[in-house]
């Protein structure tokens, strides 16, 4: 009797182990920083939702990617430096003067503004906070936070390929500091179209996934009367995520 019980237990254990092995993890694509805790979101990873473990590096900012026009498939031409938006940083300079106060020497420094040009042509220039997975075409759509342009990564390509919808307005953001107009939420909906939303809720942008895609700014969201003081246009609502259900609602 004891022998039969041991055989039964051994079989149960093996069956459980096999079932666990076949269970597929729930995965998601995420834009992250190079290091944990960084908000310079320029890396794309496939992660295990349950454990947070990285399963695959989809795009690395340190790697070279082929940049192509989404309409023509031709390489994207490099932008002239004058066409990029300058950003400013403060750097210390040499002492301006040395003074004495109550016998103590005081050194006064000045600071100079150094203007730097962001790499407009880099796939994740100005970082990104909005990403949507197009399962049908196996693409990852996204938009940089400081550039009003729709882009996507072709997941079918053997080497990294990123496509830009050049010279086609995607929202109204003018720079990385234009926080209210930044598009930080994006989703592929049940109707087969993609949607993106600006921080201030004034621009819900639709993009179709057909052979000849269209980009349409549907305008501002309207607060439901029950929202009360919790407006979708409030700066307290900036950021976050957007998901779609089967009834074509957005959350």
């Amino acid at each position: 009797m004891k022998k039969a019980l041991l055989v039964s237990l051994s079989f149960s254990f093996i069956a459980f182990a096999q079932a666990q092995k076949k269970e597929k993890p729930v995965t998601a694509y995420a834009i992250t920083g190079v290091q944990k805790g960084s908000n310079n979101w320029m890396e794309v990873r496939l992660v295990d939702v349950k454990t947070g473990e990285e399963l695959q590096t989809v795009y690395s900012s340190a790697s070279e990617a082929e940049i192509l026009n989404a309409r023509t498939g031709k390489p994207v031409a490099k932008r002239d430096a004058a066409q990029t938006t300058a950003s400013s940083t403060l750097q210390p300079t040499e002492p301006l003067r040395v003074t004495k106060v109550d016998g103590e020497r005081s050194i006064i420094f000045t600071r100079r503004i150094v203007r730097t040009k962001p790499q407009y042509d880099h796939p994740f220039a100005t970082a990104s906070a909005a990403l949507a997975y197009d399962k049908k075409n196996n693409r990852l759509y996204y938009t940089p936070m400081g550039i009003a342009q729709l882009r996507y990564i072709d997941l079918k390509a053997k080497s990294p390929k990123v496509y830009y919808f050049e010279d086609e307005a995607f929202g109204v953001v003018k720079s990385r500091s234009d926080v209210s107009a930044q598009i930080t939420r994006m989703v592929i909906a049940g109707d087969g179209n993609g949607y993106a939303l600006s921080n201030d809720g004034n621009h819900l942008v639709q993009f179709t996934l057909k052979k000849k895609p269209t980009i349409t700014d549907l305008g501002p969201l309207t607060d439901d009367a029950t929202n009360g003081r919790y407006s979708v246009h409030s700066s307290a609502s900036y950021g976050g995520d957007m998901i779609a259900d089967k009834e074509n609602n957005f959350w």
Side-chain angles (χ1 to χ4, degrees), residues 73-87:
K74 294 180 179 179
V76 169
K78 288 284 184 182
R79 296 268 178 159
D80 184 77
Q83 291 177 278
T84 63
T85 303
S87 61

Side-chain angles (χ1 to χ4, degrees), residues 90-151:
L90 289 173
Q91 300 290 343
T93 62
E94 295 298 318
L96 177 65
R97 64 182 184 274
V98 178
T99 61
K100 283 188 177 182
V101 179
D102 295 331
E104 295 292 329
R105 190 173 69 164
S106 178
I107 302 175
I108 299 175
F109 287 88
T110 60
R111 286 185 177 272
R112 59 190 168 91
I113 295 176
V114 178
R115 297 199 177 276
T116 57
K117 305 288 184 181
Q119 291 179 289
Y120 180 93
D121 299 298
H122 191 278
F124 283 87
T126 71
S128 178
L131 181 75
Y133 175 48
D134 172 13
K135 185 178 181 180
K136 183 178 180 180
N137 298 300
N138 207 17
R139 297 172 178 173
L140 283 177
Y141 283 88
Y142 72 97
T143 184
M145 285 194 287
I147 304 169
Q149 187 179 80
L150 181 63
R151 301 177 176 184

Side-chain angles (χ1 to χ4, degrees), residues 36 75 97 100 108 118 122 149 166 180 201 219-220 226 235 241 243:
K36 188 175 181 180
R97 64 182 184 274
K100 283 188 177 182
I108 299 175
H122 191 278
Q149 187 179 80
E166 289 191 285
S180 62
T226 60
S235 60
D241 290 294
I243 59 174

Side-chain angles (χ1 to χ4, degrees), residues 45-64:
R45 296 179 166 101
L46 180 67
V47 298
D48 185 321
V49 173
K50 186 176 181 180
T51 66
E53 177 188 0
E54 179 184 345
L55 303 176
Q56 179 189 348
T57 299
V58 178
Y59 174 81
S60 170
S61 59
S63 65
E64 289 291 329

